[in-house]
Amino acid sequence: MSNQTDAQKHHSFFEDVIRYFDYAASFVNAPEGILEQIKHCNSVYKMRFPVKTSRGIEVVEAYRVEHSHHKLPTKGGIRYNENVNQDEVMALAALMTYKCAIVDVPFGGAKGGITINPREYSVDELERITRRYTTELVKKNFIGPGIDVPAPDYGTGEREMAWMADTYAAFSMGELNALGCVTGKPVSQGGIRGRREATGLGVFYGTRYAMSFEEDMKKLGLTPGLEGKTVAVQGLGNVGYHAAKFFFEGGAKIVSLGEYNSSIYDANGIDPTEAKAYFSAKGTLHGYPGSKALPNNTDVLEVECDVLIPAALENQINGSNAARVKAKIISEGANGPVTPDAEDIITARGGMIIPDIYMNAGGVTVSYFEWLKNLSHVRFGRMEKRYQQNMNNSIIQAIESSTGKALTESQKKVLDRGADEQDLVYSGLEESMITAYDQIRATYLKHDGIKNLRTAAFVTAIEKIAVSYEMMGIFP
Ligand code: GLU
């Protein structure tokens, strides 16, 4: 969000990640040298290039950071925002390494960013900037299906990924796997169904699963399950909007929504799709029918609710507002929305934080599926969908003839089909989120000293990465 205070701007996000890492590393039994190797960023590429805009020639500053090469390619989004800086990109690259390890996505972590406010540039200018940025990455070997694979992040989307893929392909004639150089592409350009909503859907699957443990919910004074729970969401971008939509469709009540310039509250619940359409048309959430405008943009973080989903930028919940955050569960849709100081305050009052490196891993999980699709050159489900449907049909007929009873139409509707690409992506994502949560929860329960899920998530990730390094062998 652009309404950052000076203290927030000067706060080092990368140091926060180091603080989380160091604390978690004290629970990991691995050689000191390997922990040191994991913690730091392997390659930091800062670039400057000129771009012709309607205002004249502008010098644009941009970054790509590869945090860990223990698995290749490295992976992570590209952010377009006026506050992008080296410290931020390094922190985000590091988080990608841990995120991939947690969901068993076989990539190292990376991140990129361009220091621009995309709202101040025309589509043509954005295309020129994106293509030039990609060219700079090609020049230094910082992009490629087996090297480093960007994806969307704050301020970028399918359109930018299509430009990147096309630019890369132009430099790599005959490279069969060129489309795998970037994920989050439009479906028509080698993208995969389900990637657009993947991060929000992952937030939904992960939170719903965490809320299914009766003993954990009891400690928070909650009953298990999502039905009827109150939810607040900061950010109506790709992550926040889809998360809100899945929670709404899943029976939760969205009581508050916030954007960079406005936030609203309605105890009776808000339909996020209507609110998003209102925001797109009016440029503000204020005045949305039935809702009350909250005085500050960040007030969405402080409303009474069961689940709060910060899905905008880092440092949103910090030492200065953490004591006023009332949510019982904070599901981190964004990367780094809660600072370590804020986490201490929230953990001390018994609040549960489901950490970013797990909570928003749905995006990179489905990016992995997209990359696999690009390398295999075939749509998921193409080979087996019809076969499965015919088989299910035969089973229906066998059941009906052996029992002498016809199945109901709704029973038939569920059974009489094969899985298409979206079904498989959704099921692979749900499986990844559930397996990863089980691992994190087991780590949390195993160590008495681990005080929260973030530490448990870091420990889970570091243990896996340390094993990779030990298996790789270190060159003499
Ligand atoms: N930018 C997203 C993230 O922070 C997605 C990364 C990817 O798909 O590679 O996780």
Side-chain angles (χ1 to χ4, degrees), residues 75-78 96 99 111 149-153 183 195 199 335 360-361 363-365 367:
K75 189 87 189 74
I78 306 277
M96 285 309 304
K99 203 182 291 186
K111 200 77 169 203
V149 181
D153 196 78
T183 60
R195 175 62 185 86
T199 313
N335 291 308
N360 65 40
V364 77
T365 302
S367 277

Side-chain angles (χ1 to χ4, degrees), residues 41-336:
C41 291
N42 287 2
S43 324
V44 179
Y45 176 19
K46 176 175 180 172
M47 64 204 94
R48 283 199 182 85
F49 50 81
V51 180
K52 228 186 249 171
T53 71
S54 58
R55 296 176 286 262
I57 295 193
E58 276 180 44
V59 178
V60 171
E61 196 170 284
Y63 303 84
R64 183 73 183 172
V65 172
E66 292 170 358
H67 172 261
S68 176
H69 295 124
H70 71 289
K71 287 194 193 288
L72 288 172
T74 50
K75 189 87 189 74
I78 306 277
R79 173 171 294 199
Y80 288 3
N81 181 247
E82 71 265 38
N83 295 320
V84 162
N85 59 69
Q86 185 173 326
D87 176 81
E88 180 188 47
V89 184
M90 285 168 67
L92 293 166
L95 292 178
M96 285 309 304
T97 295
Y98 309 123
K99 203 182 291 186
C100 291
I102 284 171
V103 282
D104 289 327
V105 163
F107 297 147
K111 200 77 169 203
I114 306 188
T115 313
I116 53 164
N117 177 350
R119 283 184 279 260
E120 288 172 2
Y121 293 85
S122 68
V123 174
D124 277 356
E125 289 165 352
L126 287 172
E127 176 167 357
R128 242 173 281 146
I129 293 170
T130 306
R131 288 186 183 276
R132 178 64 191 252
Y133 174 72
T134 312
T135 309
E136 296 297 326
L137 296 179
V138 170
K139 272 161 51 181
K140 291 279 193 295
N141 227 4
F142 264 76
I143 186 170
I147 298 171
D148 187 354
V149 181
D153 196 78
Y154 192 91
T156 59
E158 289 170 24
R159 181 183 65 182
E160 286 73 16
M161 300 309 116
W163 291 331
M164 292 191 81
D166 184 61
T167 309
Y168 178 82
F171 283 106
S172 52
M173 268 305 292
E175 189 180 331
L176 198 55
N177 295 326
L179 276 179
C181 73
V182 64
T183 60
K185 302 178 292 290
V187 172
S188 62
Q189 311 300 118
I192 194 167
R193 288 161 190 82
R195 175 62 185 86
R196 189 182 295 166
E197 65 271 35
T199 313
L201 182 58
V203 171
F204 170 72
Y205 283 147
T207 308
R208 183 177 67 175
Y209 188 58
M211 291 179 79
S212 70
F213 291 89
E214 198 170 349
E215 64 270 38
D216 298 356
M217 291 305 106
K218 214 167 156 190
K219 286 191 199 131
L220 299 169
L222 288 172
T223 53
L226 263 185
E227 188 71 38
K229 298 292 191 306
T230 53
V231 178
V233 183
Q234 184 197 35
L236 271 182
N238 188 41
V239 179
Y241 167 65
H242 286 109
K245 185 170 164 283
F246 287 114
F247 275 84
F248 177 76
E249 288 166 1
K253 196 196 270 187
I254 312 295
V255 292
S256 183
L257 290 175
E259 254 296 334
Y260 70 98
N261 58 359
S262 49
S263 63
I264 53 171
Y265 181 85
D266 184 352
N268 296 319
I270 302 166
D271 178 335
T273 303
E274 285 175 13
K276 168 117 183 159
Y278 182 91
F279 180 75
S280 303
K282 311 257 172 176
T284 174
L285 286 166
H286 288 165
Y288 178 69
S291 76
K292 134 178 145 206
L294 297 172
N296 303 303
N297 308 334
T298 52
D299 286 349
V300 58
L301 303 168
E302 299 175 21
V303 302
E304 200 77 58
C305 62
D306 298 319
V307 182
L308 168 63
I309 305 173
L313 286 172
E314 60 269 16
N315 296 341
Q316 295 300 300
I317 303 174
N318 48 59
S320 60
N321 62 359
R324 296 193 300 273
V325 173
K326 300 173 197 73
K328 296 185 171 128
I329 300 173
I330 299 177
S331 294
E332 295 186 335
N335 291 308

